[in-house]
């Protein structure tokens, strides 16, 4: 959400309200309260991660002990398979390569035009993370297409056998006097499901980046268009192509990928979103403690008596921003499961 581009006659940026390198700027009740909000968010996020992610060995043990997959489980093929059975993984690969190419080009041009200082802003951090998401997603999709091509024959045989057994399961259930046989044959599909390969490090990293981006993109774009944009309009600030692109293109590509992929969206991974923002805030504190420079976002300025309220509001905003994307996921499930009931294969 940069609010300064330099030479434009209509450009605007905040004025430094105090010397941020002086000790008195930091040793006061305002900073203490803000630090409490940030540290509390990081501690809460760490507890959620420890509780639901755990160690790889602990997660494997839980999967072995429980027939039902634990919250947050990711299967390897969910990183590269589209959510519709009839859609070839190559289509998702093509889209991710296109998105990665365009986002990389836009980011590179922006850096060339405005310099490395663009990474001073949370928007560019998030935009870079979205770009990395599509880069890693492209690599996983390449691997997935290779797997798909080599195993498509066996997969067709398995699907045919599974459909036949599921049909027998339904037929026996309808009869009503052979429940035991019905349950036995229905368990075949569950066994097939449990035999799927659990994702490795790169798969889980991909999922984590995806859910971090989900919240961060909503936060940056909503804050910019709903809060900063009206203010900059009153200041007659000249919006350029890069500024608009940075606050729209990433969201569009991420939403399209969401409607194509079959990645899950467990709520506990809001913890990574909280950690992502907290790391950025701590980065800003370190920079301002060492260099007297204006704040990229006025609400981060610790010289105001309202700073603790702003920081608390920023922390609370993570929940609705994350909820917006969660609603998009639910809308996807609702629409695609009704439009393509035989093809849709996402797990809610």
């Amino acid at each position: 959400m940069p609010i300064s581009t330099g030479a434009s006659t209509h450009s605007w940026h905040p004025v430094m309200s105090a010397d941020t390198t002086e000790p008195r700027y930091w040793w006061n009740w305002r900073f203490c309260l803000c630090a409490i909000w940030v540290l509390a968010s990081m501690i809460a996020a760490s507890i959620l991660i420890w509780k639901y992610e755990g160690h790889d060995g602990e997660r494997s043990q839980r999967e072995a002990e429980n027939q039902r997959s634990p919250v947050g489980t990711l299967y390897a093929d969910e990183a590269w398979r589209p959510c519709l059975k009839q859609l070839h993984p190559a289509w998702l690969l093509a889209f991710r390569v296109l998105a990665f190419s365009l986002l990389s080009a836009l980011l590179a041009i922006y850096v060339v035009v405005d310099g490395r200082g663009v990474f001073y802003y949370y928007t560019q951090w998030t935009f870079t993370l979205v770009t990395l998401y599509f880069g890693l997603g492209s690599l996983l999709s390449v691997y997935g297409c290779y797997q798909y091509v080599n195993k498509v024959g066996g997969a067709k045989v398995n699907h045919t056998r599974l459909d036949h057994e599921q049909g027998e399961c339904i037929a026996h259930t309808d009869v009503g006097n052979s429940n035991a046989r019905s349950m036995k044959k229905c368990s075949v599909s569950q066994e097939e499901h449990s035999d799927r390969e659990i994702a490795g490090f790169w798969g889980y990293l991909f999922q984590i980046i995806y859910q971090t981006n989900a919240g961060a993109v909503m936060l940056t774009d909503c804050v910019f268009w709903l809060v900063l944009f009206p203010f900059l309009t009153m200041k007659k600030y000249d919006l350029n192509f890069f500024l608009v692109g940075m606050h729209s293109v990433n969201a569009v590509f991420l939403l399209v990928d969401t409607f194509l992929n079959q990645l899950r969206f467990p709520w506990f991974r809001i913890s990574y979103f909280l950690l992502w923002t907290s790391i950025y805030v701590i980065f800003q504190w370190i920079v301002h403690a060492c260099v007297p420079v204006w704040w990229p976002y006025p609400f981060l300025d610790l010289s105001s008596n309202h700073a603790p309220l702003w920081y608390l509001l920023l922390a609370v905003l993570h929940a609705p921003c994350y909820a917006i994307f969660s609603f998009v996921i639910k809308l996807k499930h609702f629409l695609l499961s009704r439009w393509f009931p035989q093809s849709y294969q996402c797990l809610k």
Side-chain angles (χ1 to χ4, degrees), residues 241-298:
F241 169 79
F242 295 110
L243 193 59
V244 174
M246 285 286 166
H247 296 90
S248 57
V249 175
N250 54 355
V252 171
F253 279 129
L254 192 62
L255 289 173
V256 173
D257 188 85
T258 295
F259 272 83
L260 289 175
N261 68 42
Q262 57 171 295
L263 293 174
R264 310 185 193 191
F265 202 79
W267 252 91
F268 78 87
R269 287 202 176 107
I270 191 177
S271 54
Y272 295 102
F273 176 29
L274 289 169
L275 287 176
W276 176 254
T277 305
S278 298
I279 291 171
Y280 174 79
V281 171
I282 292 175
F283 164 76
Q284 287 294 331
W285 287 352
I286 294 174
V287 169
H288 284 79
C290 300
V291 181
V293 62
W294 50 273
W295 292 88
Y297 308 107

Side-chain angles (χ1 to χ4, degrees), residues 19 58 68 88 101 117 137 154 161 163 178 192 209 223 235 323:
D19 186 354
E58 296 176 1
R68 189 177 180 182
H88 194 284
S101 301
R161 176 173 60 84
D163 290 340
S178 56
E192 291 284 343
I209 294 176
V223 169
K235 294 288 183 178

Side-chain angles (χ1 to χ4, degrees), residues 128-144:
T128 302
L129 192 64
V130 174
T131 305
L132 292 176
Y133 165 80
F134 282 107
L136 179 57
S138 299
L139 294 177
L140 292 175
S141 289
V142 169
Y143 170 77

